[in-house]
Amino acid sequence: MRSAKSPPSSEMEYHKPTLEKYIWQTMQYSPTTLETPSMFLTQTRRFYSRAEFVIEAALERKMSARQASIELNKIVDIIEQQTLPQLKFSTLNLQQELKQNDIIIGSLKETDNAN
């Protein structure tokens, strides 16, 4: 009998988190990718790299499922609490700078008013 702390590999494989990378992969073909401040590209790359490492380590039993969950929560917290707010602030600053030069762009969509 296996304990709940160590589920079977097949169950872990079936329930492993998936990382949606559409925007990240699309950026490879965008001429404006390198115009994105390098700090955000680096933080995004680190997030995906670390998340894949943790998931694979758990699947290969090099890390417990519990520890993998803790590690994934840590990196998600960094993205949600640091990277995304910094990116929004950077975008708002750019938007303000453009507005001061009479260049108007659409507003940022928020989750509560997205169509």
Side-chain angles (χ1 to χ4, degrees), residues 7-20:
S9 293
S10 59
E11 185 177 334
M12 287 177 59
E13 181 70 42
Y14 181 76
H15 292 290
K16 77 178 181 181
T18 57
L19 302 176
E20 297 300 331

Side-chain angles (χ1 to χ4, degrees), residues 1-12 61:
M1 182 171 147
R2 295 180 187 263
S3 72
K5 292 181 183 177
S6 182
S9 293
S10 59
E11 185 177 334
M12 287 177 59
R61 302 290 190 190

Side-chain angles (χ1 to χ4, degrees), residues 41-56:
L41 295 175
T42 299
Q43 290 173 356
T44 303
R45 180 191 53 77
R46 285 180 182 156
F47 168 79
Y48 283 122
S49 176
R50 183 68 184 159
E52 286 179 2
F53 173 82
V54 169
I55 292 166
E56 288 304 313

